[in-house]
């Protein structure tokens, strides 16, 4: 097993910063996945975070396209908690007013995003140490057991996330979970991408296609209204590829609420519910890099780094500017436990939560 690069610096960072926040910080390690094509993905068992994704451009030049840090301390103490590269949950995205009712009982969660609950709470899955096993040079399994009432959620939840890197430059993320009490679950991967390279300016020239004819409008606190609205004739229409920045400053109430795009799109699913469906495609003209995403999930949250403002400095030593990265978070819909018309996110004893997302990297 490979430990975190710059090991001495990392140990010093942890010794200086953890102070009980990460109880078993000595077990934090960095694992490298590498395929026959030379693509690498680095993963730490702190937060199941993807710290680096290195892929070629159209001329074969390699670059790290995932935003993040060189030191664990920065993940632990980051301003505004951007969730760079992490697995988020037990419920990714927002739950209104930090509460939901299940089987006649109301559960209260942390309000860590204004009046709402976000990405699993104060110490969500992004802030715990997972048990990691590198199965092969191209595959790692990460396991975590969330205790009953951890962050307010019911049920002892066993979670396994598997990252697999193929020789076709696919990064496959498989999720599996079981519980001993009914509980909401909505896991997602929260990598910020910049296909020019991390720290290489904003992503407004990236061309995005989303396989979604509807999205879920939100209120001013970014909680869905419950409606599924058509994207046609709005800035939210990415059914044909267009630059991310083309419509981002249009006079539209939803863009004002999000400070730009920070919404869930309803994927146009084909086939059975648990089959992979094409979700998104991103092309960056300067490098020629392409990212395509397929998923078994019904939705995808597109967030274009509206809250990045240059205060965070990444691996290359460059500040992460406003809209310096984008996220495409495959998921069930936000606030589903409080939205009876949305697909259910309730996992029951005896059932298995299964989900798969594939990130395909190429050039043109």
């Amino acid at each position: 097993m490979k430990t975190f690069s710059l090991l001495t610096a990392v140990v010093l960072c942890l010794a200086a910063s953890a102070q009980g926040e990460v109880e078993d910080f000595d077990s934090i390690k960095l694992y490298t996945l590498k395929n026959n094509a030379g693509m690498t993905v680095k993963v730490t068992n702190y937060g199941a975070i993807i710290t680096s994704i290195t892929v070629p451009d159209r001329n074969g030049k390699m670059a790290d396209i995932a935003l993040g840090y060189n030191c664990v301390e920065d993940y632990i103490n980051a301003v505004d908690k951007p969730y760079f590269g992490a697995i988020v949950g037990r419920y990714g995205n927002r739950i209104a007013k930090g509460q939901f009712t299940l089987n006649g009982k109301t559960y209260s969660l942390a309000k860590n995003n204004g009046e709402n609950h976000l990405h699993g709470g104060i110490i969500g899955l992004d802030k715990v140490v997972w048990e990691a096993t590198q199965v092969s040079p191209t595959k790692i399994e990460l396991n975590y057991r969330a205790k009953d009432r951890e962050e307010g959620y019911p049920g002892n939840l066993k979670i396994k996330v598997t990252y697999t890197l193929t020789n076709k430059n696919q990064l496959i993320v498989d999720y599996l979970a079981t519980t001993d009490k009914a509980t909401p679950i909505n896991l997602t991967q929260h990598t910020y991408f910049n296909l020019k390279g991390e720290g290489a300016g904003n992503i407004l020239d990236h061309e995005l296609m989303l396989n979604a004819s509807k999205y879920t409008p939100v209120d001013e606190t970014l909680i869905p209204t419950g409606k599924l609205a058509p994207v046609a004739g709005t800035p939210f229409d990415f059914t044909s590829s267009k630059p991310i920045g083309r419509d981002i400053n249009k006079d539209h109430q939803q863009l004002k609420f999000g400070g730009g795009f920070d919404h869930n799109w309803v994927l146009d699913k084909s086939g059975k519910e648990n089959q992979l469906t094409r979700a998104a495609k991103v092309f960056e003209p300067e490098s020629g890099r392409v990212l395509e995403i397929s998923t078994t999930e019904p939705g995808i949250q597109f967030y274009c780094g509206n809250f990045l403002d240059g205060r965070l400095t990444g691996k290359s030593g460059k500040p992460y500017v406003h809209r310096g990265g984008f996220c495409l978070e495959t998921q069930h819909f936000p606030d589903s436990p409080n939205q009876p018309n949305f697909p259910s996110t309730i996992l029951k004893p005896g059932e298995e939560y299964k989900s798969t997302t594939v990130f395909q990297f190429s050039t043109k």
Side-chain angles (χ1 to χ4, degrees):
M1 300 297 182
K2 292 187 177 181
T3 55
F4 218 117
S5 60
L6 300 176
L7 178 60
T8 302
V10 171
V11 171
L12 289 173
C13 286
L14 287 171
S17 68
Q19 296 180 355
E21 290 181 50
V22 183
E23 184 176 346
D24 51 351
F25 61 82
D26 286 335
S27 66
I28 296 175
K29 299 182 184 296
L30 188 74
Y31 302 82
T32 299
L33 309 181
K34 187 173 183 178
N35 67 10
N36 292 340
M39 177 180 168
T40 62
V41 176
K42 294 185 178 182
V43 180
T44 175
N45 58 326
Y46 176 71
I49 291 170
I50 293 175
T51 67
S52 172
I53 301 174
T54 302
V55 294
D57 67 7
R58 63 163 64 92
N59 298 315
K61 183 179 179 181
M62 305 296 286
D64 185 355
I65 60 169
L67 277 61
Y69 303 115
N70 289 319
C71 180
V72 175
E73 178 189 32
D74 295 321
Y75 287 103
I76 295 171
N77 298 325
V79 177
D80 297 332
K81 306 298 181 188
Y83 304 95
F84 287 148
I87 294 294
V88 294
R90 158 176 333 192
Y91 198 96
N93 219 308
R94 294 171 176 85
I95 294 179
K97 300 187 184 304
Q99 67 179 27
F100 63 91
T101 299
L102 179 59
N103 296 331
K105 183 175 181 178
T106 298
Y107 293 88
S108 295
L109 312 172
K111 296 180 180 179
N112 60 325
N113 185 242
E115 287 298 304
N116 302 319
H117 177 81
L118 177 66
H119 289 336
I122 304 299
I123 304 178
L125 299 180
D126 62 298
K127 301 179 186 70
V128 299
V129 179
W130 295 58
E131 180 182 338
T133 303
Q134 186 153 3
V135 178
S136 74
T138 58
K139 184 175 182 179
I140 185 171
E141 293 181 354
L142 298 117
N143 289 273
Y144 181 72
R145 294 190 177 191
K147 296 178 181 178
D148 184 28
R149 303 313 297 268
E150 186 169 323
E151 289 298 309
Y153 291 94
N156 293 292
L157 187 71
K158 296 181 181 179
I159 308 166
K160 180 169 75 172
V161 174
T162 305
Y163 293 126
T164 305
L165 179 61
T166 75
N167 288 325
K168 296 181 180 180
N169 284 359
Q170 294 175 321
L171 176 61
I172 303 172
V173 186
D174 290 304
Y175 307 83
L176 177 66
T178 58
T179 185
D180 61 1
K181 292 181 182 178
T183 188
I185 181 171
N186 186 32
L187 306 180
T188 191
Q189 221 297 321
H190 206 283
T191 291
Y192 289 65
F193 297 96
N194 186 326
L195 299 185
K196 289 181 287 190
E198 62 89 23
N202 68 51
I203 45 79
L204 297 180
D205 60 344
H206 288 51
E207 298 173 10
L208 172 66
M209 185 283 300
L210 294 173
N211 180 29
S213 55
K214 295 179 181 179
Y215 76 112
T216 52
V218 296
D219 63 19
E220 62 275 11
T221 70
L222 301 183
I223 293 295
T225 63
K227 297 179 180 179
L228 307 183
V231 300
T234 78
F236 294 82
D237 190 349
F238 285 92
T239 52
S240 296
S241 182
K242 68 178 181 181
I244 290 172
R246 176 178 294 176
D247 296 327
I248 202 167
N249 293 317
K250 291 286 183 68
D251 184 15
H252 193 284
Q253 186 64 67
Q254 286 295 307
L255 291 174
K256 294 177 182 177
F257 284 160
F261 297 112
D262 189 6
H263 296 73
N264 170 71
W265 271 255
V266 180
L267 295 175
D268 293 335
K269 298 287 286 183
S270 58
K272 296 181 180 179
E273 182 178 346
N274 60 351
Q275 287 185 334
L276 287 169
T277 295
R278 188 186 192 199
K281 181 176 181 179
V282 189
F283 169 62
E284 199 286 299
E286 181 180 326
S287 67
R289 292 188 180 94
V290 177
L291 168 60
E292 296 176 85
I293 299 175
S294 55
T295 187
T296 57
E297 289 294 300
I300 189 166
Q301 182 89 6
F302 169 46
Y303 168 60
C304 60
N306 304 315
F307 298 109
L308 297 176
D309 59 6
R311 287 185 294 168
L312 303 177
T313 299
K315 292 167 286 186
S316 61
K318 299 176 183 177
Y320 290 150
V321 300
H322 188 221
R323 295 173 179 153
F326 65 88
C327 301
L328 288 166
E329 306 156 58
T330 56
Q331 60 173 18
H332 271 60
F333 306 163
D335 197 37
S336 291
N338 296 312
Q339 302 279 356
N341 295 326
F342 286 0
S344 175
T345 56
I346 303 303
L347 177 66
K348 300 175 182 178
E351 299 177 342
E352 286 187 329
Y353 169 92
K354 287 185 177 181
S355 178
T356 297
T357 293
V358 179
F359 299 89
Q360 171 73 65
F361 300 92
S362 61
T363 60
K364 72 174 184 179

